[in-house]
Amino acid sequence: MRATEEITRDKFNRWAVSYDQPASKMGAFMADAITEEIIRHHGGMKGLRILDMGAGTGNAAIRIALRGPDCEVVGLDLSPGMLALAHQKIEEKALKNITLAEGSYTQELPFPEDHFDAISGCSTFHHICPDEKRAGFRQAYRVLKPGGLLAITDPMCPDAEWHRIFSSAELFEPYLDQIFEELQAELT
């Protein structure tokens, strides 16, 4: 596992229990936007296979699965703590069309080529450095069917210095707890 993935996994394992409070409103908006784009692109969701990269606690995957009960959603995340909460929420909602997988989308994905009709990613790519982003996009396109949809929503910072911090987990790591606490206080 790469150093940035270890840092990210460890941070999100620590944050898992309180993650949904500040992230839920923003995540719901982004997940709904992605779902609408999938519906528009494919003319509906019936029978689609959808991969949610960086699924976290399952918020986006669950919203997608609820809108498309006849589709198959796979939530992929590298944090066991986040996936445990996602699994709990999926069980509570008795959703049968979601499966979860532990892993990184910047590594070889455990899916065959041309497997998914759509791939979503809500607020996940800013946690990885540019080389890992390229690896993630290569993996996404490998498992995406021709004519499929890759739908990514991610916060972008226009300030170059701030973006450089966001682009590398090693640089960003000292600020993560402070930023997360500020975001949580702001949205509460």
Side-chain angles (χ1 to χ4, degrees):
M1 182 175 292
R2 296 178 178 144
T4 53
E5 289 176 340
E6 286 183 41
I7 291 167
T8 304
R9 183 198 61 221
D10 293 345
K11 289 291 180 184
F12 279 96
N13 275 336
R14 286 200 342 254
W15 291 343
V17 276
S18 60
Y19 180 80
D20 280 344
Q21 291 171 358
S24 60
K25 285 187 180 181
M26 183 172 65
F29 171 77
M30 289 191 270
D32 289 345
I34 283 177
T35 304
E36 289 303 319
E37 190 59 24
I38 292 169
I39 291 168
R40 188 197 64 70
H41 183 82
H42 286 290
M45 295 180 69
K46 187 173 178 80
L48 296 182
R49 280 192 194 136
I50 302 165
L51 173 63
D52 183 34
M53 299 189 309
T57 61
N59 292 331
I62 288 169
R63 292 181 82 83
I64 293 167
L66 287 168
R67 288 286 302 277
D70 296 324
C71 69
E72 174 189 331
V73 179
V74 177
L76 177 76
D77 201 274
L78 58 83
S79 168
M82 297 293 254
L83 288 173
L85 289 170
H87 182 72
Q88 182 180 9
K89 290 194 282 188
I90 290 165
E91 294 257 322
E92 287 170 4
K93 294 185 181 306
L95 292 170
K96 302 295 183 205
N97 60 335
I98 301 180
T99 57
L100 299 174
E102 184 179 334
S104 170
Y105 52 82
T106 65
Q107 305 293 315
E108 182 78 16
L109 291 174
F111 309 107
E113 289 184 19
D114 305 334
H115 187 72
F116 292 99
D117 300 288
I119 298 176
S120 67
C122 289
S123 290
T124 185
F125 275 87
H126 65 274
H127 293 289
I128 58 176
C129 68
D131 288 341
E132 291 172 338
K133 284 180 176 90
R134 284 187 279 282
F137 283 117
R138 277 194 296 276
Q139 283 300 306
Y141 282 110
R142 182 183 68 76
V143 300
L144 188 63
K145 290 179 181 178
L149 176 71
L150 175 62
I152 306 276
T153 59
D154 215 65
M156 300 305 290
C157 302
D159 175 54
E161 191 67 29
W162 183 245
H163 185 263
R164 195 168 58 226
I165 291 171
F166 261 127
S167 294
S168 172
E170 285 95 349
L171 293 173
F172 188 49
E173 193 271 337
Y175 306 98
L176 288 173
D177 289 326
Q178 177 187 350
I179 291 168
F180 188 76
E181 289 169 13
E182 288 173 8
L183 178 63
Q184 194 170 23
E186 182 180 320
L187 295 176
T188 301

